Amino acid sequence: MNANRNYQKELDKVIAGLNGRRPTLLLHACCAPCSSYVLEYLSHYFDITLFYYNPNIEPESEYHYRVSEVKRLVSEMLPDAGIRVVEGRYDPERFHQAVKGLEQEPEGGKRCMVCYRLRLEEAGRIAQKLGCEYFTTTLSISPLKNAKALNEIGEELAPLYQTKYLTSDFKKREGYKRSIQLSAEYHLYRQDYCGCACSRAEREAQKADKERKSE
């Protein structure tokens, strides 16, 4: 596989080939800030079902707050776009079993690859169940997420669920910058850790280390 694929150009080609047709898209949402630009962008071309499935997020109160922000974003930013929000099952035990033994992996390491796959598998399954033509995820908008890995996993899963994977790298063309602007405009909650207990512990350790060095 070409290691230098330009996923944004591949997405441009797919959109150009639609010729005004609006296919159905199952868009996995990781959080409201990351969803903001992606929804603004893709809602011009696809009929979107926004799927919130993130069993990695802890504590449970954090999970519920993030999903409430996703729903608020859709209702306030795109109230007339016909975007349907589907909330998946909150099942942190499934995440813990999947990443067992990888708890000490650094952020962006093997644990995250397992987490990507877990969420994309469920997105693919729901996309097939709903009869969507495409599925993809908002995760690639983050500079901290591995777009190449996400796209490779998505393309690997696509034939299993008989649904096309929409290749993407939403951070391109200042997508991440636009998400920050939209987050400010809609006063979205921007969390300072990815979601799981491991990433939260790593973030807390980084903050503590920074405070010690500043003393």
Side-chain angles (χ1 to χ4, degrees):
M1 183 174 289
N2 183 0
N4 298 312
R5 290 172 62 185
N6 186 317
Y7 297 109
Q8 177 61 55
K9 286 187 177 180
E10 291 183 20
L11 176 55
D12 289 342
K13 186 176 180 179
V14 170
I15 290 173
L18 297 178
N19 296 314
R21 186 174 67 87
R22 292 180 61 87
T24 51
L25 169 69
L26 189 292
L27 175 62
H28 166 261
C30 56
C31 64
C34 289
S35 300
S36 59
Y37 163 73
V38 181
L39 286 172
E40 180 185 64
Y41 174 30
L42 295 183
S43 62
H44 293 291
Y45 310 106
F46 297 89
D47 289 334
I48 299 173
T49 294
L50 192 65
F51 179 52
Y52 186 86
Y53 177 73
N54 300 289
N56 57 308
I57 295 176
E58 292 187 59
E60 187 173 352
S61 58
E62 177 80 10
Y63 169 90
H64 290 300
Y65 189 30
R66 292 193 194 190
V67 73
S68 70
E69 284 290 270
V70 166
K71 292 175 180 177
R72 181 173 70 83
L73 171 68
V74 172
S75 66
E76 293 182 7
M77 188 177 78
L78 294 163
D80 302 317
I83 296 170
R84 175 188 178 191
V85 179
V86 174
E87 183 178 352
R89 181 185 176 195
Y90 180 53
D91 186 6
E93 184 57 30
R94 184 178 180 189
F95 168 75
H96 289 302
Q97 287 298 318
V99 302
K100 190 174 183 179
L102 301 173
E103 291 86 353
Q104 301 306 313
E105 282 283 316
E107 191 73 9
K110 293 179 181 178
R111 185 185 67 248
C112 293
M113 299 304 109
V114 172
C115 188
Y116 292 169
R117 182 175 293 275
L118 178 66
R119 290 186 276 179
L120 284 172
E121 283 177 340
E122 188 66 5
R125 187 182 74 81
I126 296 299
Q128 182 183 38
K129 180 180 178 181
L130 297 179
C132 295
E133 186 173 340
Y134 292 91
F135 75 105
T136 194
T137 178
T138 63
L139 283 164
S140 71
I141 197 172
S142 170
L144 301 177
K145 298 295 185 290
N146 188 327
K148 181 175 181 291
L150 287 163
N151 282 289
E152 289 179 352
I153 292 169
E155 289 181 324
E156 178 188 335
L157 294 172
L160 300 178
Y161 298 107
Q162 300 176 313
T163 308
K164 300 173 189 175
Y165 187 75
L166 190 68
T167 55
S168 56
D169 189 355
F170 294 118
K171 70 178 70 66
K172 299 295 186 181
R173 295 184 184 161
E174 299 193 327
Y176 179 65
K177 180 179 178 180
R178 178 59 177 158
S179 75
I180 294 174
Q181 293 171 340
L182 289 168
S183 295
E185 182 177 345
Y186 290 97
H187 308 288
L188 299 177
Y189 163 61
R190 292 185 64 85
Q191 59 282 347
D192 66 354
Y193 68 103
C194 177
C196 73
C198 304
S199 66
R200 187 179 189 184
E202 185 174 324
R203 176 59 177 158
E204 291 301 318
Q206 290 171 347
K207 289 196 293 186
D209 185 56
K210 184 176 181 180
E211 289 173 1
R212 281 195 302 269
K213 290 178 179 179
S214 66
E215 290 177 352

